[in-house]
Amino acid sequence: MKRKVESFVLAKRGVPVLNTVAPYLTTNTHINGAAGNIVLASGQLGFFSDTMTLANKSVITEGGTPDTSLVVPQLSVYQGTDYSANPGDSTYMAPLWYRPYERTSAIDARYPVNVYLQPYKKATFSTWIIKNITAIPSSSFGLKIAFRGRHVQEFAGNQEALDLMTDYITPSFTSAQLATPNPVSDIINNTVYQVLQNSQALSMSQRSRGGMFPIIGLALDSTATGTGVALSALVAGVVLPVVTTIGGQTRNIVLTQDQIDSILVATTAAALPATTLVKVVDLSNTAAFPVADAMLLMGLDRQEAFVDYEPLVKTKLEVGLNYGFAYGTTYNKQLSFATEAQGNGKQFFLKYRITQGQRKYNLVTTDNPVVDFPNIFDKTETYDCIVIDHSVSNVIDATGAHINSPLKEFIVFPTAVKGVEG
């Protein structure tokens, strides 16, 4: 099966699609016949006929009825560049050449054309909630946390999951102590401390234990007793204190909006109120641990390399109650699942990069090698995309034999608000 030849046109945020004849078009084409410049502003898209009898006629006009496929059976989407206004003013140097516009292949409505939308979808994170813990004196409590994901399989193998185990032995609680929140808080604080001690998000005092697992843990208090940060007050990009080390240093994490959204989805599904506090885990005062009645575990994205060509970053957690916990009553559920984002800048950046050889470089030889134009996508942006699958059929000999060439067009728009769906 032939691979589709792919083309990209990219709109700039805030630049509308060309939908008017005046004042740009005196001849109703994408080229101003008098000045020789392209009528599209930099980053502006325009839909033009590619039919011989109506060559380069604009097919969308403001307030008018768009032309149908009966009138314009072929069209292309054009994109203005920085040199559209003055094609002779290009600063490209050899072996690059100036490009006064970009365009898709001709889309022919006489053959099957499939059009579908790929809207931006934010990433979600694997998030578990554990609560309703029953404390037992002088007993071992342990979790076994397995990690799944492409990077885990590549570096740790796919026959056995990479895992992290916690282990904590409770003191000999008296009957009076078991009637207070302290024993459950004791288990949660020590378990979360061990998770954070091995987290790649923190630099803890005992790095020999690992410290490179893609996970964070939070101690939660649904009763909102004492101090902490309420779930409703979590803010992306703002430091969140989560643990005080044995050496007395407070360690913080910084959450993204996507991580906060996954946390809120999970805590809401677990019936934890918005007033629930994220407590700072502190093991220095064994007589009065910070009150906590639930713990949250979240898988982090893998750490990316300085030059990174792998679009998949997600980590899936599988959390098991290894021992100590009452299996019948302890609440242990994954309530937000790890999904890759759709339409983030890195994905388009890599897609554009690996398909460069399909565009602009026909008849390449060793004397004129393939060169890379600057990538048009911003890795920090988020995009909506219209994808058009189509084909072109050509007669290849005197007997009337045809050859069918599949094509794919990506018409890409930045989201109205960066990082926001819809």
Side-chain angles (χ1 to χ4, degrees):
M1 181 178 179
K2 293 182 180 179
R3 174 169 178 165
K4 296 179 176 70
V5 176
E6 298 166 336
S7 300
F8 293 80
V9 289
L10 172 62
K12 282 187 178 179
R13 178 176 279 115
V15 179
V17 173
L18 181 68
N19 65 352
T20 179
V21 174
Y24 304 106
L25 303 178
T26 56
T27 59
N28 205 25
T29 72
H30 71 290
I31 299 176
N32 187 320
N37 62 296
I38 308 303
V39 301
L40 298 168
S42 179
Q44 185 176 35
L45 301 186
F47 293 76
F48 294 91
S49 167
D50 246 323
T51 304
M52 186 175 296
T53 56
L54 295 170
N56 305 123
K57 174 184 179 294
S58 177
V59 299
I60 298 179
T61 55
E62 185 176 8
T65 301
D67 290 321
T68 67
S69 60
L70 295 177
V71 178
V72 181
Q74 285 184 310
L75 64 82
S76 296
V77 183
Y78 285 70
Q79 171 210 315
T81 69
D82 293 340
Y83 308 111
S84 293
N86 187 1
D89 196 31
S90 170
T91 57
Y92 275 135
M93 300 180 68
L96 304 179
W97 57 93
Y98 75 88
R99 300 189 65 81
Y101 61 85
E102 301 288 350
R103 54 161 287 178
T104 66
S105 301
I107 303 165
D108 194 333
R110 294 170 297 181
Y111 300 96
V113 177
N114 296 314
V115 182
Y116 50 96
L117 175 65
Q118 287 185 343
Y120 168 72
K121 294 294 183 183
K122 64 185 179 182
T124 57
F125 293 78
S126 178
T127 309
W128 291 69
I129 299 291
I130 303 173
K131 64 175 187 174
N132 298 344
I133 298 170
T134 301
I136 304 173
S138 304
S139 296
S140 293
F141 285 79
L143 298 177
K144 186 167 185 176
I145 306 166
F147 300 87
R148 301 288 189 183
R150 172 164 178 168
H151 63 290
V152 175
Q153 292 180 330
E154 286 180 344
F155 290 104
N158 57 9
Q159 301 300 316
E160 183 177 355
L162 179 69
D163 65 80
L164 169 65
M165 297 179 64
T166 67
D167 178 75
Y168 177 63
I169 301 176
T170 58
S172 300
F173 297 122
T174 65
S175 299
Q177 288 174 323
L178 288 173
T180 71
N182 279 355
V184 172
S185 299
D186 175 41
I187 296 169
I188 291 174
N189 277 269
N190 278 278
T191 301
V192 171
Y193 188 93
Q194 291 182 30
V195 170
L196 293 174
Q197 198 171 37
N198 289 278
S199 171
Q200 69 182 29
L202 297 170
S203 176
M204 297 287 278
S205 57
Q206 296 184 23
R207 296 291 287 182
S208 61
R209 297 197 60 185
M212 292 303 293
F213 286 88
I215 187 173
I216 58 170
L218 300 177
L220 305 178
D221 174 24
S222 63
T223 65
T225 303
T227 60
V229 178
L231 294 175
S232 58
L234 295 176
V235 178
V238 176
V239 295
L240 174 67
V242 292
V243 63
T244 299
T245 68
I246 294 175
Q249 298 175 318
T250 298
R251 295 284 187 252
N252 310 302
I253 60 174
V254 177
L255 298 172
T256 66
Q257 188 58 53
D258 289 347
Q259 289 172 329
I260 292 174
D261 291 343
S262 291
I263 288 172
L264 296 180
V265 166
T267 53
T268 300
L272 296 174
T275 54
T276 296
L277 298 180
V278 178
K279 309 303 283 284
V280 178
V281 174
D282 186 356
L283 306 185
S284 61
N285 185 356
T286 57
F289 287 106
V291 174
D293 57 6
M295 68 179 91
L296 178 146
L297 303 176
M298 173 184 284
L300 301 178
D301 293 347
R302 67 176 176 84
Q303 293 179 318
E304 297 186 31
F306 180 75
V307 178
D308 197 296
Y309 296 143
E310 175 52 58
L312 302 179
V313 297
K314 288 295 159 191
T315 301
K316 175 186 175 183
L317 301 183
E318 295 178 1
V319 181
L321 306 176
N322 208 17
Y323 46 79
F325 297 92
Y327 301 116
T329 58
T330 302
Y331 185 100
N332 178 40
K333 289 185 179 180
Q334 180 176 205
L335 299 169
S336 174
F337 296 84
T339 57
E340 303 284 348
Q342 174 178 278
N344 66 34
K346 180 182 177 182
Q347 292 170 346
F348 277 105
F349 184 94
L350 294 177
K351 180 71 171 176
Y352 186 87
R353 176 183 173 275
I354 65 176
T355 59
Q356 281 233 50
Q358 298 181 355
R359 302 179 298 275
K360 313 172 188 174
Y361 310 121
N362 58 327
L363 303 180
V364 170
T365 68
T366 54
D367 292 332
N368 295 285
V370 172
V371 293
D372 288 347
F373 279 81
N375 200 301
I376 63 175
F377 290 101
D378 181 350
K379 291 183 181 179
T380 66
E381 265 289 3
T382 53
Y383 299 100
D384 295 323
C385 181
I386 298 172
V387 182
I388 302 176
D389 280 322
H390 62 112
S391 62
V392 61
S393 183
N394 295 299
V395 179
I396 61 173
D397 61 24
T399 65
H402 284 66
I403 185 171
N404 189 65
S405 300
L407 303 167
K408 178 177 284 190
E409 319 302 333
F410 294 88
I411 305 171
V412 187
F413 300 84
T415 54
V417 180
K418 182 189 290 190
V420 177
E421 298 178 3

